Amino acid sequence: MAASLQDIQRRIASTSKTRQITSAMQMVSTAKLSQIQRHGGSYTVYSDALHDVVAHLATAHINNVKGTLLEQRRVTKVGFLVISSDRGLVGGYNSTLLKEVMAEITRRQLTTDQVVILAVGGNGADFFKKRGFDVAYEYRGVSDVPTFDEVREIVQMATTMYDNEVFDELNVAYQHYVSRISNEVHLEKMLPVSTDDLVESKDETKFTADYEMEPSAEQILSIVLPQYAESLVYGTILDAKTAEHAASANAMSSATDNAKEIIDSLGLKYNRARQSAITTEITEITGGMAALN
């Protein structure tokens, strides 16, 4: 019985240490979430303004603009830019995302030879490598609050591959941050840039005046479009990292709560075992005294 009590005590001590670790990790993830939300809020102002300018130019001048980012060509290979996490301890963040990408590949009846993977995050890269997909590019170690310089390398690689016809269409897959307790998978076409989506999403009430432009609107649009593509990628990575921090905070919160339940259960078990041991000792002492009498 003594050994059993010691075993329970060791388990309680071990679980208590685990609880301290998960609680600390929860606080760290919550702090990172607050930080990236502040950063993302300021970036949203810029990205919305850029989108409005591109949409306004596209409304009147898109037919005169030439460029590979707008080129609609026959799709023989499909690229997927998959933004996952580098580490675990984020609940179903990665598994839900990767499952949806695989479901999309199945829906479109694509073979491994028709798919090109650009992986941002180690979990996604390792997942697709194990399944025989062509992981043409991978980027690991994205910062907790990514900078635009980090994304520049990613988007330049994506657009270069598109220009070189490594793939004919690029889709981005990531976890969209909804709230502190909820994320949802988004899978959107990024390249070629859809001019129809630009025009349809434009708020016509925002632009009533005409602009005098130097150089021409066509030249400006041809320069701004790559910047717009960069902003899309950067925005999705910010969104994905926000969702990752939220998922990590939730996972660590659940782990902390579970540890507390285990500790409470073990404490009850320990008290019962200790009570049983004491009762046994009292019985033995009483029995011994009766024998002496």
Side-chain angles (χ1 to χ4, degrees):
M1 184 61 69
S4 177
L5 288 173
Q6 290 177 358
D7 180 60
I8 294 173
Q9 284 180 315
R10 282 195 293 268
R11 290 181 62 191
I12 290 174
S14 175
T15 307
S16 296
K17 291 179 181 178
T18 300
R19 184 188 176 196
Q20 290 175 348
I21 294 172
T22 56
S23 179
M25 293 176 69
Q26 178 190 352
M27 289 188 290
V28 170
S29 295
T30 301
K32 291 178 179 178
L33 175 60
S34 298
Q35 184 182 5
I36 199 170
Q37 281 181 311
R38 290 192 298 270
H39 182 76
S42 60
Y43 177 74
T44 300
V45 177
Y46 162 77
S47 62
D48 288 347
L50 179 60
H51 174 272
D52 290 341
V53 170
V54 173
H56 177 69
L57 291 171
T59 302
H61 305 285
I62 200 68
N63 293 330
N64 300 322
V65 177
K66 304 299 181 184
T68 54
L69 295 182
L70 299 170
E71 181 184 346
Q72 302 285 339
R73 55 188 185 230
R74 189 171 69 89
V75 177
T76 57
K77 281 198 173 185
V78 180
F80 288 91
L81 174 60
V82 183
I83 305 172
S84 64
S85 71
D86 285 297
R87 57 189 179 86
L89 302 178
V90 288
Y93 177 87
N94 292 306
S95 59
T96 305
L97 170 67
L98 299 174
K99 181 180 179 181
E100 182 59 32
V101 176
M102 291 299 295
E104 177 68 11
I105 291 173
T106 301
R107 279 195 294 267
R108 298 182 62 170
Q109 298 181 333
L110 299 172
T111 66
T112 54
D113 294 334
Q114 295 174 309
V115 174
V116 178
I117 300 295
L118 289 77
V120 178
N123 276 279
D126 296 339
F127 176 87
F128 288 105
K129 283 180 180 179
K130 288 178 181 177
R131 285 156 181 77
F133 286 93
D134 176 17
V135 180
Y137 174 79
E138 61 180 283
Y139 188 100
R140 298 174 185 253
V142 177
S143 304
D144 291 327
V145 181
T147 64
F148 193 81
D149 287 339
E150 286 183 87
V151 176
R152 191 182 301 277
E153 175 186 333
I154 298 169
V155 72
Q156 285 178 348
M157 180 59 67
T159 53
T160 298
M161 287 183 176
Y162 183 77
D163 288 342
N164 294 335
E165 299 187 8
V166 175
F167 45 78
D168 306 296
E169 174 187 306
L170 179 63
N171 301 277
V172 58
Y174 64 101
Q175 285 276 16
H176 166 62
Y177 173 79
V178 178
S179 68
R180 285 178 177 262
I181 60 172
S182 177
N183 302 323
E184 62 184 23
V185 177
H186 278 198
L187 207 162
E188 305 160 351
K189 187 171 78 169
M190 191 185 81
L191 293 176
V193 174
S194 173
T195 56
D196 290 338
D197 290 343
L198 277 173
V199 174
E200 288 175 4
S201 62
K202 171 182 171 291
D203 184 354
E204 297 290 347
T205 62
K206 286 186 178 182
F207 300 103
T208 57
D210 197 5
Y211 296 109
E212 293 184 4
M213 302 180 184
E214 183 66 31
S216 66
E218 293 80 3
Q219 289 176 293
I220 293 174
L221 189 56
S222 65
I223 295 172
V224 172
L225 271 174
Q227 296 178 4
Y228 174 67
E230 289 180 358
S231 75
L232 289 178
V233 177
Y234 184 51
T236 55
I237 291 178
L238 278 179
D239 195 0
K241 291 298 288 187
T242 304
E244 179 186 337
H245 294 322
S248 177
N250 290 332
M252 292 304 97
S253 176
S254 297
T256 301
D257 293 340
N258 290 339
K260 182 180 182 302
E261 291 179 4
I262 292 173
I263 291 170
D264 291 343
S265 176
L266 288 172
L268 182 61
K269 185 176 181 180
Y270 175 82
N271 290 335
R272 286 176 176 173
R274 187 168 179 271
Q275 184 179 19
S276 176
I278 292 172
T279 302
T280 301
E281 290 177 2
I282 292 174
T283 302
E284 290 174 351
I285 292 172
T286 303
M289 292 177 64
L292 290 175
N293 292 334

